[in-house]
Amino acid sequence: MDGQKHALLNVAVYCKAGFSKYALQIQKQRAAAVIQEHGDWNLVATYTDFGTGPQLSRRLGFKMMMADCRKGKIDKILVRSISTLARDVWSCMKVLRELSALGVTIRFLDENIDTETDSRWMEFLNINSALGAVGREEVGAAETTSDIVPALQ
């Protein structure tokens, strides 16, 4: 070795699930495996929200994570998916801009995007968030029509 010490990157994991505690466990295991691949990453905390819905204001784990970012305790956050972080473009971009200003990067595991290394992440997030919003509108519209399968009515 060259004798130089490399600083550890302080990494946090954010997990969120609506109804399945098993889904939370899978997210944690997946993130742990990613962290193990990087010898210079130090897991500082895992923040979880369960059954809180999409509103950021209801997510205590998310709020604690953001507070720790503001205190400089976190360098990188691992998140399963963009939709885990936020469900709408405005909320997602607001969070990402604040984290960027704090020097905190995010790695979205499902989309294989890391805001530290991928220069097109903002463009991708805009497109992905817009498509997700359209999908939710279509599901909502389908739920209000009379074309529901009779057995489910």
Side-chain angles (χ1 to χ4, degrees):
M1 299 285 277
D2 60 11
Q4 292 181 332
K5 289 185 179 180
H6 296 282
L8 291 177
L9 192 67
N10 290 320
V11 179
V13 175
Y14 178 66
C15 303
K16 179 182 160 307
F19 304 104
S20 170
K21 292 197 183 225
Y22 178 71
L24 283 178
Q25 193 60 30
I26 294 297
Q27 290 177 51
K28 290 176 187 179
Q29 289 173 354
R30 185 173 176 204
V34 171
I35 291 170
Q36 285 182 336
E37 294 172 1
H38 297 84
D40 59 343
W41 286 13
N42 174 46
L43 175 63
V44 294
T46 299
Y47 304 88
T48 60
D49 285 309
F50 182 73
T52 58
Q55 296 85 7
L56 295 177
S57 61
R58 291 184 178 180
R59 299 190 204 172
L60 296 180
F62 177 82
K63 287 180 178 183
M64 289 172 45
M65 178 187 71
M66 292 300 291
D68 284 347
C69 288
R70 291 179 191 111
K71 293 175 188 172
K73 295 181 177 182
I74 299 170
D75 300 312
K76 180 181 282 298
I77 301 168
L78 298 183
V79 181
R80 179 190 61 85
S81 175
I82 294 166
S83 64
T84 302
L85 186 67
R87 293 289 180 130
D88 63 85
V89 176
W90 186 82
S91 296
C92 187
M93 297 311 289
K94 181 179 174 187
V95 169
L96 290 173
R97 284 189 179 117
E98 179 178 357
L99 291 172
S100 179
L102 294 169
V104 178
T105 60
I106 299 182
R107 182 167 174 191
F108 298 102
L109 301 177
D110 284 359
E111 294 86 2
N112 195 28
I113 293 176
D114 191 322
T115 61
E116 180 178 18
T117 58
D118 190 343
S119 62
R120 294 174 29 127
W121 64 268
M122 193 173 289
E123 176 183 328
F124 180 83
L125 292 177
N126 280 328
I127 293 167
N128 191 37
S129 296
L131 290 174
V134 169
R136 285 188 296 282
E137 288 172 8
E138 289 174 355
V139 168
E143 290 174 348
T144 60
T145 65
S146 61
D147 296 333
I148 298 174
V149 177
L152 299 176
Q153 291 182 340

